[in-house]
Amino acid sequence: MSLGAAKSKIKPALPSGFRDFSPVQVRRRREVFAKLSALFERFGYEPLETPAVELLSVLLGKYGEEGDKLLFRILNSGDFLAEVPEEARKQARTLLPYITEKALRYDLTVPMARWVAQHAGELVFPFKRYQIQPVWRADRPQRGRFREFYQCDVDIVGAEGILPLLEMIVIAREGLQTLGIKGAVLHLNHRFLLEEAARQASWRNSFAAFCSHIDKADKIGWEAVRNLFQAQQVILPPWLHPEENFSERVQKELLRLEIPEEEIEALRSEIEKPDEVLAVRWDSTLARGLEYYTGYVYEVRLPGSGIGSIAAGGAYGNLIADFGGPDLPAMGLSFGIERILTLLPESEERSPQAVLVAWIDASPTYIQKVVETLHAQGVAAFAYPSPRKLGKQLEYAQRRGLRWVAVVGKQEELHHQVQLKDLIQHTQQTYALSEVAAAFTR
Amino acid sequence: MSLGAAKSKIKPALPSGFRDFSPVQVRRRREVFAKLSALFERFGYEPLETPAVELLSVLLGKYGEEGDKLLFRILNSGDFLAEVPEEARKQARTLLPYITEKALRYDLTVPMARWVAQHAGELVFPFKRYQIQPVWRADRPQRGRFREFYQCDVDIVGAEGILPLLEMIVIAREGLQTLGIKGAVLHLNHRFLLEEAARQASWRNSFAAFCSHIDKADKIGWEAVRNLFQAQQVILPPWLHPEENFSERVQKELLRLEIPEEEIEALRSEIEKPDEVLAVRWDSTLARGLEYYTGYVYEVRLPGSGIGSIAAGGAYGNLIADFGGPDLPAMGLSFGIERILTLLPESEERSPQAVLVAWIDASPTYIQKVVETLHAQGVAAFAYPSPRKLGKQLEYAQRRGLRWVAVVGKQEELHHQVQLKDLIQHTQQTYALSEVAAAFTR
């Protein structure tokens, strides 16, 4: 790196919507990611990481028209205008395909599907993977919404039905539990029920339009949604109501849709089970907008938290076949990890304790020897980097939250000793260098 | 995510120079990163993370002309051509400033300097940070060179001199040791010596040009470098030679350049100390190209490995002041983590052991209960997601490297039991569900 001509001061700033994570924040995030990773591993999920950059041919058309616009596109390198016809340079829309062929990852599902399609031959199905990585969206930044944020996904490819669903519920439950969150509710539905409702209501428009109406309940409330349909002379079936939960008539509809009796029984037992971390309720009005779901859909909400869903997912098909891979059913759960992080208390975890070796007037060689000897005794330690007044060095230790300072001057060097100060007990004691570790094992 | 119109098959591919990391690779990389992080923390370094995307105003001019060209630029969102004058659309060079204002991170040093400048008021100096994150460079991809790769940096800001240098050497040594690498050599030099050599040789061109000549030694050998200078009637001082190591005359030059006696003594003791992991030798011809170094520079090589340096760094100033922050000396070490990863053996670490609950013909509710009961007993477990032939499920367990399978059929459900198979010992035994954990604690 050369500073070259950059002699004038540069304003130190970040593009809007992007964040740094300070040491305290990194520790807290790592702790949460590690807890969830360990949970996923216990359920047999394996970690996958894909690059930040994907080909546009892989990404485009996967997230709807709006999503395509939100991709952060990467400008081709070199003389990117060389081959572009005059005509195409007139508008952004026509120029775009000539000057970009890559973009930043928009979610973790499409890259996973691409990877599974590429490696289907070597994988053991059902293939279970988890992935915790940042994604990028050129959304308008606002409070709590960022252009770079982490997603945290588990997916099982090559499985469908009740057991993967039960597993997703337990993962959500154990995930919240390990993070200390209580009182959440998982809303559960099956896309078949929504299709059936549209049929019973003699809906003539697209199913996507039906779902997009239903999806408004979150914002405008269910009564307003009903009225919206009524204004179009569409009468929704009476069992389609968020308060129905898993009523007899909802169960009857499911049976009619050929959901096996045994499966309905498992659902009923899950829904009736009281649980202080994560209760399950049936919600026939849960649509989860995304067109690509084909079976169960679910969304975890935390009543009274003022934030939207904290985890969500569903069963889907086709995604891997779209990339030329095998045609396998899949099911996934995505933790809204950035939202969840805002709910958690500040991490208690400080930087690990270490002994500060205060350099008074010993030789640098002896200071170094003290550090290495402590390390050899299994004690973390590092030296203050220059010989300054002891007061300054003690203040540094205090501000860094360090408890122990090993003061090392000419006297200590002469006698192969250190003077160990305990900043909490306000005591100090002289130790032979070879025996300092004893101070910490008492 | 909607699949929308994408009905035709899409070729699953990555842009060239980018990599996926499979579960085995992720585990291995995480293990290495965790070991190095723990090491850095023991020395009082704190983790920092900065976003993938930075403003061009922050990045440009920091990496030389060549570096500026290697930035992956992000196209502005929306109608990026709207405000661009006709004239500017003719060439890539003139269009560029209008259509991009952001780029992907190119290294970890500049973002750190930007961050320190922004937060100087809250930090305790000397500030010690480490950072392990990917960077992106639009280099021509080739064997072993990628466009997305991780860097792994430690830097201490607000310190200079011998003790930070000794710390960097110990960190390099303990880092290699924890990764199981031996026989490395740290080449050490001080920029003052190179400046002095240029003076003694009456070099009339720029100091950067002098260093860039010297730097060629790596490729063409030292004798060829000498000849190169001689062809320009420049005679290098005799002590400027890679084989001089820390000779009397090199030490005399350092003393003349006002390096304190005590510091030279510490260097001598470090250089004379035999060490099977990392030996230190003085190399007055080490230039480390980068203009911004101001004091010690160092580079760790692994003789016979066929790869270049595996860690490197030096003392530098100004970087934080360039962003309007305080004018502080700094020193850093960067592990060539991607190169190091190629040297390490495949990780032995497999996915953690878990019991596969084989689903024969029990109810899904009982299968689920088995999983939850095992978890409650502290045993990792997950169910095969559908009721298939036992042989298929055992094969799955074997291919996933799982040792234990809990077979659960109607009989087991009736008696609240599981039949536990040990795929290694080829034994099986029936347990009451509440007592399965006992099988693993014997």
Side-chain angles (χ1 to χ4, degrees):
Chain A
M1 211 198 49
S2 88
L3 286 179
K7 284 297 168 241
S8 64
K9 301 253 186 283
I10 303 145
K11 190 168 169 272
L14 275 182
S16 82
F18 291 87
R19 292 171 291 175
D20 293 309
F21 297 118
S22 70
V24 174
Q25 291 169 317
V26 173
R27 288 214 175 84
R28 181 152 161 272
R29 295 173 69 88
R30 275 195 196 160
E31 200 185 321
V32 168
F33 296 167
K35 281 180 180 173
L36 291 177
S37 297
L39 168 68
F40 303 152
E41 300 251 358
R42 280 203 297 278
F43 278 96
Y45 291 83
E46 301 200 276
L48 175 71
E49 287 182 11
T50 63
V53 176
E54 293 272 351
L55 289 171
L56 279 169
S57 58
V58 163
L59 300 178
L60 284 175
K62 296 295 192 310
Y63 310 105
E65 225 175 289
E66 199 47 41
D68 285 355
K69 282 189 199 144
L70 297 184
L71 292 174
F72 274 117
R73 288 165 180 249
I74 294 179
L75 193 65
N76 293 345
S77 299
D79 188 3
F80 60 89
L81 273 187
E83 315 267 297
V84 183
E86 201 64 42
E87 207 43 39
R89 300 181 188 201
K90 296 210 166 130
Q91 285 182 43
R93 193 176 46 78
T94 53
L95 182 56
L96 214 45
Y98 286 98
I99 64 172
T100 67
E101 58 183 30
K102 297 184 284 289
L104 294 183
R105 177 172 59 212
Y106 184 89
D107 77 351
L108 303 179
T109 312
V110 167
M112 181 274 291
R114 183 218 9 99
W115 187 85
V116 170
Q118 282 177 290
H119 296 86
E122 318 137 29
L123 296 179
V124 187
F125 290 100
F127 173 67
K128 306 175 97 176
R129 88 87 176 75
Y130 71 95
Q131 196 167 351
I132 306 177
Q133 287 194 284
V135 301
W136 294 268
R137 296 183 184 179
D139 248 322
R140 191 194 308 272
Q142 46 181 297
R143 207 183 134 72
R145 195 202 277 168
F146 300 97
R147 296 179 138 186
E148 174 182 74
F149 58 95
Y150 274 69
Q151 288 194 336
C152 172
D153 286 16
V154 279
D155 286 86
I156 175 163
V157 176
E160 59 190 335
I162 185 70
L163 222 60
L165 172 68
L166 294 178
E167 181 165 292
M168 294 296 165
I169 294 173
V170 183
I171 289 176
R173 184 174 287 141
E174 295 191 5
L176 296 181
Q177 181 152 37
T178 188
L179 299 177
I181 294 172
K182 276 183 187 180
V185 180
L186 184 139
H187 292 246
L188 180 61
N189 194 15
H190 197 295
R191 292 301 288 256
F192 286 4
L193 268 194
L194 284 171
E195 287 165 21
E196 178 61 19
R199 215 162 14 239
Q200 290 181 19
S202 308
W203 178 257
R204 280 163 211 286
N205 208 326
S206 73
F207 181 58
F210 184 79
C211 289
S212 121
H213 272 44
I214 299 275
D215 249 353
K216 293 193 181 113
D218 233 18
K219 285 187 184 155
I220 62 176
W222 183 249
E223 283 319 304
V225 168
R226 276 197 100 91
N227 295 339
L228 217 104
F229 278 102
Q230 242 153 23
Q232 296 176 58
Q233 271 86 45
V234 174
I235 307 297
L236 298 175
W239 54 263
L240 191 73
H241 193 286
E243 294 307 319
E244 276 288 301
N245 200 345
F246 208 49
S247 68
E248 288 293 334
R249 52 187 179 177
V250 167
Q251 293 179 41
K252 219 161 67 189
E253 295 297 331
L254 285 169
L255 260 178
R256 285 207 314 122
L257 294 164
E258 295 180 2
I259 306 291
E261 176 88 54
E262 178 185 65
E263 195 161 329
I264 292 173
E265 204 179 295
L267 290 172
R268 199 188 307 122
S269 123
E270 196 57 53
I271 289 164
E272 284 170 359
K273 188 159 76 185
D275 194 288
E276 59 169 5
V277 171
L278 180 70
V280 175
R281 60 175 291 141
W282 193 268
D283 181 354
S284 303
T285 70
L286 180 75
R288 299 262 329 117
L290 312 178
E291 275 175 56
Y292 77 126
Y293 288 121
T294 54
Y296 288 109
V297 288
Y298 29 88
E299 196 170 294
V300 177
R301 298 176 191 161
L302 194 59
S305 68
I307 57 178
S309 74
I310 55 173
Y316 56 92
N318 297 328
L319 210 49
I320 288 128
D322 274 348
F323 288 110
D327 191 0
L328 294 167
M331 198 179 266
L333 175 70
S334 182
F335 281 88
I337 195 68
E338 300 282 358
R339 282 181 180 173
I340 289 173
L341 276 159
T342 66
L343 296 172
L344 303 181
E346 293 266 310
S347 171
E348 294 296 302
E349 222 172 304
R350 306 207 49 137
S351 64
Q353 274 299 325
V355 175
L356 179 71
V357 179
W359 185 10
I360 309 301
D361 54 3
S363 72
T365 309
Y366 186 65
I367 297 291
Q368 179 66 1
K369 195 179 165 185
V370 171
V371 170
E372 292 190 8
T373 307
L374 286 171
H375 284 197
Q377 293 171 31
V379 177
F382 60 93
Y384 194 86
S386 51
R388 291 186 69 183
K389 279 200 189 124
L390 180 59
K392 273 279 170 205
Q393 301 190 50
L394 293 178
E395 187 196 326
Y396 176 79
Q398 245 143 4
R399 292 191 64 186
R400 289 284 313 262
L402 303 176
R403 175 172 180 179
W404 303 95
V405 177
V407 181
V408 179
K410 277 214 157 62
Q411 276 306 310
E412 283 77 16
E413 179 167 8
L414 197 65
H415 299 101
H416 294 273
Q417 293 176 330
V418 304
Q419 199 194 116
L420 193 67
K421 276 182 184 291
D422 179 337
L423 300 189
I424 291 180
Q425 303 274 2
H426 301 289
T427 56
Q428 64 180 58
Q429 198 174 334
T430 300
Y431 286 89
L433 180 53
S434 56
E435 287 164 10
V436 188
F440 307 103
T441 49
R442 281 173 315 181
Chain B
M1 213 198 48
S2 87
L3 286 180
K7 284 298 166 237
S8 64
K9 299 249 186 288
I10 303 145
K11 188 168 173 271
L14 275 182
S16 81
F18 291 86
R19 292 172 291 175
D20 293 309
F21 297 117
S22 71
V24 174
Q25 291 169 318
V26 173
R27 287 215 176 85
R28 181 153 162 271
R29 295 173 69 87
R30 275 194 196 161
E31 198 185 322
V32 168
F33 296 167
K35 280 181 180 173
L36 291 177
S37 296
L39 168 67
F40 303 153
E41 300 252 359
R42 280 204 296 280
F43 278 95
Y45 290 83
E46 301 200 276
L48 175 70
E49 287 182 11
T50 62
V53 177
E54 293 272 351
L55 290 171
L56 279 170
S57 59
V58 163
L59 300 178
L60 285 175
K62 295 297 192 309
Y63 309 106
E65 226 175 288
E66 198 47 41
D68 285 354
K69 283 189 200 144
L70 298 183
L71 292 174
F72 274 117
R73 288 166 182 250
I74 294 179
L75 194 64
N76 293 346
S77 301
D79 188 3
F80 60 89
L81 273 186
E83 314 267 296
V84 184
E86 201 62 44
E87 207 42 40
R89 300 181 186 200
K90 299 212 165 128
Q91 285 182 43
R93 193 176 46 78
T94 53
L95 182 56
L96 213 45
Y98 286 97
I99 64 173
T100 67
E101 58 185 28
K102 296 184 284 289
L104 294 182
R105 177 172 58 213
Y106 184 89
D107 77 352
L108 303 178
T109 312
V110 166
M112 180 275 290
R114 181 212 19 92
W115 187 85
V116 170
Q118 282 177 289
H119 296 86
E122 318 138 30
L123 298 177
V124 187
F125 290 100
F127 173 68
K128 305 174 98 177
R129 90 87 177 76
Y130 72 95
Q131 196 169 349
I132 306 177
Q133 287 193 285
V135 301
W136 294 269
R137 296 185 183 176
D139 249 324
R140 190 194 308 274
Q142 51 184 55
R143 206 183 136 72
R145 193 202 279 169
F146 300 97
R147 294 179 141 188
E148 174 181 75
F149 58 94
Y150 274 68
Q151 288 194 335
C152 172
D153 287 15
V154 279
D155 286 86
I156 175 165
V157 175
E160 59 189 335
I162 185 71
L163 223 59
L165 172 68
L166 294 178
E167 182 166 290
M168 294 296 164
I169 294 173
V170 183
I171 289 176
R173 185 174 287 140
E174 295 191 4
L176 296 181
Q177 182 152 37
T178 189
L179 299 177
I181 295 172
K182 276 183 188 179
V185 179
L186 184 140
H187 292 245
L188 180 61
N189 194 15
H190 196 296
R191 293 301 288 256
F192 285 5
L193 268 193
L194 285 171
E195 287 166 19
E196 178 61 20
R199 215 163 15 239
Q200 289 181 19
S202 307
W203 179 256
R204 279 160 214 287
N205 208 325
S206 73
F207 180 57
F210 185 79
C211 289
S212 120
H213 273 46
I214 299 276
D215 250 354
K216 292 192 180 115
D218 234 19
K219 286 187 183 154
I220 62 175
W222 183 247
E223 282 320 302
V225 168
R226 278 197 97 92
N227 294 339
L228 216 106
F229 278 101
Q230 241 153 21
Q232 296 177 58
Q233 270 83 48
V234 175
I235 308 298
L236 297 174
W239 53 263
L240 191 73
H241 193 287
E243 293 308 319
E244 275 288 299
N245 201 343
F246 209 50
S247 67
E248 287 292 331
R249 50 186 180 179
V250 166
Q251 294 180 42
K252 219 159 71 187
E253 294 297 332
L254 284 169
L255 259 178
R256 284 209 313 125
L257 294 164
E258 294 179 4
I259 307 292
E261 175 89 56
E262 179 186 63
E263 195 162 325
I264 292 174
E265 206 180 293
L267 291 172
R268 199 189 307 124
S269 121
E270 196 56 54
I271 290 164
E272 285 169 358
K273 188 161 74 185
D275 194 289
E276 60 170 4
V277 172
L278 180 70
V280 176
R281 60 176 290 142
W282 192 269
D283 180 355
S284 303
T285 70
L286 179 75
R288 298 264 323 119
L290 313 177
E291 274 174 56
Y292 76 125
Y293 288 119
T294 53
Y296 288 108
V297 289
Y298 31 88
E299 197 170 293
V300 178
R301 298 177 191 160
L302 194 60
S305 67
I307 56 177
S309 73
I310 55 174
Y316 56 93
N318 297 326
L319 209 49
I320 288 130
D322 275 348
F323 288 110
D327 191 1
L328 294 168
M331 199 179 265
L333 176 70
S334 183
F335 281 87
I337 194 69
E338 301 281 359
R339 281 181 179 173
I340 289 173
L341 276 159
T342 66
L343 296 173
L344 303 181
E346 294 265 312
S347 173
E348 294 296 302
E349 221 171 307
R350 306 205 52 134
S351 65
Q353 274 299 325
V355 175
L356 180 72
V357 179
W359 184 10
I360 310 301
D361 53 3
S363 72
T365 310
Y366 186 66
I367 298 291
Q368 179 67 2
K369 195 178 165 186
V370 172
V371 171
E372 291 190 9
T373 307
L374 286 172
H375 283 197
Q377 293 173 33
V379 178
F382 60 94
Y384 194 85
S386 52
R388 293 186 69 180
K389 281 203 187 120
L390 182 58
K392 272 281 171 206
Q393 301 189 51
L394 292 178
E395 187 196 327
Y396 176 79
Q398 246 144 2
R399 290 189 64 187
R400 288 286 311 261
L402 302 177
R403 176 175 180 177
W404 303 96
V405 177
V407 182
V408 180
K410 275 213 160 60
Q411 277 307 309
E412 284 78 15
E413 179 167 9
L414 197 65
H415 298 101
H416 294 274
Q417 293 176 331
V418 305
Q419 199 195 116
L420 195 66
K421 276 184 184 291
D422 179 337
L423 300 189
I424 291 180
Q425 303 273 0
H426 301 288
T427 57
Q428 63 180 62
Q429 197 175 333
T430 300
Y431 287 88
L433 179 54
S434 57
E435 287 164 10
V436 188
F440 307 103
T441 49
R442 282 173 316 184

